């Protein structure tokens, strides 16, 4: 009895679902907390959090939507699949070969594709972990100071050159300071300092 439930959950819980659940929980918390702001400074966080909650909920429940809406959502690529370079076409071709012969074929490209899938899954989990860490560190020390840390670690993990990493970190610092000066909320302060 437990095994079929585990297998169905295992197929449903992907890195995309985990990321959507993380975004849903953070945006729900932000939506609730934004009502403690003044009416002027709370408008943007309330709107952004409400849109994120709605979007995450729609993506998580897309299998239960009416067919026209479901097709519009399902036809677009997933969060991590849009830059996969056609691996979905290779996967579909492999499935067609499997259905015709009733036995899986073992080609070298299937092995390479499987290795690419493992690397993609690892990168997806790293990205979800980095985003979670960014939120937590930003909450502790302030988003302005957490931004260069996040971008630096991201650049290191995803093998940016030193020049590219330095450029991206610099742009991130400028963007964080610009947001801090534009928004009526001080993003340099966190819970710790």
């Amino acid at each position: 009895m437990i095994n079929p439930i585990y297998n169905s959950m295992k197929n449903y819980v992907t890195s995309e679902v985990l990321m959507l659940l993380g975004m849903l929980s953070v945006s729900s918390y932000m939506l609730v907390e934004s009502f403690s702001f003044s009416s002027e400074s709370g408008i943007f966080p309330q709107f952004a959090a409400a849109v994120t909650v709605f979007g995450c909920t729609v993506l998580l429940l897309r299998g239960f939507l009416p067919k026209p809406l479901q097709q519009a959502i399902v036809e677009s690529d997933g969060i991590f699949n849009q830059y996969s370079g056609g691996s979905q076409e290779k996967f579909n071709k492999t499935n067609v070969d499997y259905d015709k012969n009733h036995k899986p074929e073992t080609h070298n490209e299937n092995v390479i594709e499987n290795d690419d899938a493992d690397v993609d899954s690892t990168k997806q989990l790293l990205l979800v972990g980095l985003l979670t860490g960014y939120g937590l560190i930003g909450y502790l020390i302030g988003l302005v100071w957490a931004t260069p840390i996040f971008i630096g670690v991201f650049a290191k993990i995803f093998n940016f050159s030193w020049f590219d990493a330095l450029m991206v970190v610099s742009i991130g610092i400028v963007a964080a300071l610009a947001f801090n000066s534009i928004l009526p909320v001080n993003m340099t302060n966190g819970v710790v300092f």
Side-chain angles (χ1 to χ4, degrees):
M1 172 117 183
I2 293 175
N3 195 21
I5 294 171
Y6 172 75
N7 286 337
S8 65
M9 289 300 291
K10 184 177 163 185
N11 291 336
Y12 182 72
V13 178
T14 62
S15 56
E16 181 178 4
V17 170
L18 291 175
M19 186 168 169
L20 287 171
L21 288 173
M23 289 174 62
L24 180 62
S25 61
V26 169
S27 58
S28 298
Y29 173 75
M30 291 175 69
L31 181 61
V32 170
E33 287 296 315
S34 67
F35 286 102
S36 65
F37 299 161
S38 67
S39 60
E40 294 86 22
S41 63
I43 291 173
F44 176 74
Q46 289 168 3
F47 176 74
V51 167
T52 306
V53 166
F54 176 76
C56 290
T57 304
V58 167
L59 287 173
L60 286 169
L61 300 176
R62 64 185 166 231
F64 302 105
L65 295 174
K67 288 290 182 193
L69 288 176
Q70 189 179 31
Q71 284 179 331
I73 293 169
V74 172
E75 285 178 3
S76 64
D77 277 339
I79 292 172
F80 296 111
N81 292 340
Q82 62 186 1
Y83 301 110
S84 63
S87 63
Q88 185 65 31
E89 292 173 13
K90 291 179 189 174
F91 177 75
N92 290 340
K93 182 180 181 298
T94 304
N95 282 348
V96 169
D97 290 341
Y98 177 79
D99 290 341
K100 287 180 183 176
N101 301 327
H102 300 291
K103 62 181 178 179
E105 292 185 22
T106 54
H107 296 292
N108 288 339
E109 65 188 39
N110 292 346
V111 174
I112 293 169
E113 179 182 333
N114 191 18
D115 290 343
D116 289 343
D118 291 341
V119 170
D120 288 345
S121 296
T122 303
K123 285 185 178 181
Q124 292 168 10
L125 290 175
L126 283 172
L127 183 59
V128 171
L130 280 173
L131 290 171
T132 303
Y134 176 61
L136 291 174
I137 292 172
Y139 179 72
L140 293 175
I141 66 171
L143 288 173
V144 169
W145 311 120
T147 298
I149 295 170
F150 167 76
I151 295 173
V153 172
F154 179 88
K156 176 70 173 161
I157 289 175
F158 289 93
N159 298 325
F160 282 40
S161 70
W162 282 105
F163 180 77
D164 290 344
L166 185 61
M167 291 299 294
V168 173
V169 168
S170 300
I171 292 169
I173 291 170
V174 169
L177 290 172
F179 274 110
N180 189 52
S181 65
I182 292 170
L183 296 176
V185 179
N186 186 0
M187 297 187 330
T188 59
N189 295 337
V191 173
V192 176
F193 63 88

